[in-house]
Amino acid sequence: MSVKAKKHLGQHFLTDESIAKNIADALTGKGYNDVLEIGPGMGVLTKYLLQKKAKVTVMELDRESVAYLHETFPLEHIKLDTTKEKFEILEGDFLKKNIQDIFNKKQVAIIGNFPYNISTQIVFKAIENREFVPEFAGMFQKEVAKRIAEKEGSKVYGILSVLTQAFFDVEYLFTVPPTVFNPPPKVDSGVIRLIRKDDYSLPVDEKLFFRVVKTAFNQRRKMLRSSLKSFKLSDSLKEEPIFAKRPEQLSVQEFISLTQKIASNDI
């Protein structure tokens, strides 16, 4: 039995074993006993995850892939431990599932060759659940991977960069060409690793921080005194040097400082 890649699910099956192993090796294994793989397909990454200590849970929306993982995958990898204590298969949409309930609020690393069309939403869900996600690694469209990892001063630095890096240390690991997929995508892919910061709380109101970042980048070419005018800033506050900058010039720490200034302006 094999699985046909489905366009509506954004499936591109990785065929290069060494790349699959390198993605699995992106996880450090520190601080958790559970790994959740999103969109395992035919298990090319799964088999390398199963060689590590943690229990592997896979979540798959495609019923054909689910059937393959239940029936064919254990027979093809007879030397691997695929008992329920080590390997579990869940059918469903990760974006609609409650991670805390599935893992009973235990720490869990997230990994996958993510469908391009929902990869950003997957990152935001990991951020929302950061209390339970110490580590996150996987493959994205290269452009998205670079955006997540980029530092201030770059044209691709934006909302996704700031909100991810506020809570995680991000490292761009390597680029993957289209030729190692079936069917090949039209763009390069990039693999990144996110490791949760020791202190992943914010010294400001989280909702206000998110709102400031999103509002600033919605008009990224304007100076902050213009793009943030919906916050009804006082004239004296607008004269502070930080408000003469554009959003891509601000580090994550400066966005935190900016949010503190706005909070003290009596929103």
Side-chain angles (χ1 to χ4, degrees), residues 52-95:
K52 299 179 181 295
K53 289 181 180 178
K55 178 183 175 180
V56 178
T57 301
V58 298
M59 189 175 293
E60 178 59 70
L61 188 58
D62 178 19
R63 288 185 177 178
E64 191 180 10
S65 289
V66 171
Y68 175 89
L69 291 165
H70 274 295
E71 298 163 21
T72 307
F73 181 81
L75 299 175
E76 288 184 338
H77 305 286
I78 199 80
K79 292 182 180 179
L80 292 175
D81 183 357
T82 53
T83 59
K84 189 149 187 178
E85 289 71 31
K86 176 67 176 175
F87 182 46
E88 192 165 356
I89 303 162
L90 302 178
E91 183 176 347
D93 183 348
F94 169 74
L95 297 176

Side-chain angles (χ1 to χ4, degrees), residues 10 24-25 59 82 103 117 122 125 163 167 177 262:
D25 288 344
M59 189 175 293
T82 53
F103 293 96
N117 56 342
I122 290 171
K125 183 155 183 175
L163 298 186
F167 308 106
I262 291 173

Side-chain angles (χ1 to χ4, degrees), residues 130 166-167 199-207 209-210 252 256:
R130 61 190 176 276
F167 308 106
D199 181 5
Y200 54 90
S201 59
L202 290 178
V204 289
D205 179 78
E206 187 182 304
K207 287 183 179 177
F209 176 74
F210 277 55
V252 173
I256 291 170

Side-chain angles (χ1 to χ4, degrees), residues 23 26 45 110-114 136-140 145 173 190-194:
I23 296 170
L45 175 59
I110 294 175
I111 194 167
N113 298 326
F114 305 120
F136 179 109
M139 184 150 53
F140 297 78
L173 299 177
V191 175
I192 58 172
R193 173 174 57 218
L194 282 57

Side-chain angles (χ1 to χ4, degrees), residues 93-138:
D93 183 348
F94 169 74
L95 297 176
K96 295 177 181 176
K97 296 289 185 181
N98 187 313
I99 301 172
Q100 299 175 35
D101 287 350
I102 292 170
F103 293 96
N104 197 23
K105 296 190 174 180
K106 290 188 294 182
Q107 299 291 295
V108 56
I110 294 175
I111 194 167
N113 298 326
F114 305 120
Y116 291 161
N117 56 342
I118 60 166
S119 62
T120 300
Q121 293 165 271
I122 290 171
V123 174
F124 280 126
K125 183 155 183 175
I127 292 171
E128 285 171 24
N129 289 276
R130 61 190 176 276
E131 184 181 346
F132 308 101
V133 182
E135 203 165 81
F136 179 109

